[in-house]
Amino acid sequence: GMSRLPFKILLFVLVLVYLVVVGPVNYVVLRRLNLHIYTVVTVPLIALGFVGVIVMIGYATRGVTTKAQAASLTRVSSGGSRGLVTAYGCVYSAAASSYRIGFGDGLTPLPIFATRAEAAAQVLHLRQGTATDLEDFHLKLWDTGVFQARGWTDLGGTLSATRRAGTITVANAGKANLVKALVIGRNRTRGSEVFAAAAGATLDVAVTATQPAAPETFAEALGLPMDEFPVAWVDHVLERARPATSGLVVLARLEED
């Protein structure tokens, strides 16, 4: 996952151990051996040893390969044939390097900065061709870049969900398959079992009442990787896709033929 807290705690513990070793322990050992003069040698060696340990632990816990994840949310009103796409991506850098970021499908990626200082430090270079990409985006060692893009997409047909007594009729006349989908009720309750609706299919889904569920529950049901970024994305989707008066929201993974 993308968690940062464990490494920070471990680093704090190592600093405390280093202070104990380079100070009292080093002094006591050299005093017993009557070798105080070698303090100028032992202190730098201990420091270099701890730097090596920190670097090795860093690569062991953070990894030596750059990781990238992306997910997109397509919001479609019932009966609509066009959807508003909001794409999110993150790059976890295993080295200080520059990256080219692109979502495709005519979407322009823009970084999400945590502070104004971070935004002021970056110069954005957009390259426009068949798609617009963000070029030469610099990330530091073990840093994470988060990106967002928005645009419209044609579903190739209408997608609708109609609620009836105890069931929801899902009609997928578009070109994308709903490979995994479920109904979300009010207060983040899971309103159905997982179902699939191929392109051109119409089916009835039984509505079930459950207790409010955590984002991890929905991410697992949709078959998303269970690490920080997809779970945070699902949480964002649930926060924005609040059920309307009918209490009807269908959360699904789309897959084009």
Side-chain angles (χ1 to χ4, degrees):
M2 300 295 177
S3 179
R4 300 289 181 267
L5 186 58
F7 183 77
K8 289 183 178 180
I9 295 175
L10 182 58
L11 184 60
F12 178 74
V13 172
L14 285 174
V15 170
L16 289 180
V17 173
Y18 167 74
L19 293 176
V20 172
V21 172
V22 78
V25 173
N26 185 43
Y27 174 78
V28 171
V29 171
L30 292 180
R31 182 181 178 182
R32 289 184 177 181
L33 297 176
N34 197 24
L35 297 174
H36 292 93
I37 192 173
Y38 289 102
T39 302
V40 294
V41 177
T42 57
V43 170
L45 288 178
I46 293 173
L48 287 175
F50 269 87
V51 169
V53 170
I54 290 173
V55 170
M56 287 188 294
I57 291 177
Y59 277 108
T61 57
R62 298 294 186 92
V64 295
T65 58
T66 296
K67 300 177 183 178
Q69 294 179 315
S72 63
L73 166 65
T74 303
R75 301 187 68 179
V76 186
S77 298
S78 182
S81 60
R82 298 185 71 211
L84 177 61
V85 179
T86 304
Y88 300 91
C90 77
V91 176
Y92 171 59
S93 180
S97 184
S98 295
Y99 297 90
R100 180 177 178 180
I101 311 297
F103 287 108
D105 298 327
L107 300 176
T108 302
L110 293 174
I112 300 175
F113 296 107
T115 64
R116 291 185 178 180
E118 289 184 7
Q122 284 278 7
V123 178
L124 303 183
H125 302 276
L126 293 175
R127 180 178 181 273
Q128 191 166 7
T130 54
T132 303
D133 294 337
L134 182 62
E135 290 194 333
D136 299 326
F137 189 86
H138 183 73
L139 290 175
K140 299 176 183 178
L141 175 64
W142 297 329
D143 198 6
T144 299
V146 181
F147 308 90
Q148 178 179 343
R150 288 184 178 178
W152 290 92
T153 185
D154 184 7
L155 301 177
T158 59
L159 180 62
S160 64
T162 306
R163 186 165 189 166
R164 298 173 183 173
T167 63
I168 292 176
T169 301
V170 177
N172 180 15
K175 60 184 179 181
N177 299 318
L178 306 185
V179 290
K180 284 190 175 182
L182 50 83
V183 176
I184 308 298
R186 295 182 182 179
N187 300 320
R188 299 191 177 195
T189 56
R190 179 169 169 172
S192 75
E193 297 298 324
V194 177
F195 64 91
T202 299
L203 71 158
D204 292 330
V205 179
V207 177
T208 59
T210 62
Q211 295 296 320
E216 291 82 356
T217 302
F218 297 109
E220 183 178 11
L222 294 175
L224 298 175
M226 293 301 294
D227 55 25
E228 184 178 335
F229 178 68
V231 171
W233 171 75
V234 170
D235 186 53
H236 177 76
V237 171
L238 296 175
E239 183 65 26
R240 296 193 62 184
R242 295 180 182 274
T245 305
S246 63
L248 177 59
V249 168
V250 177
L251 184 62
R253 288 181 60 185
L254 303 182
E255 181 182 87
E256 293 191 4
D257 291 328

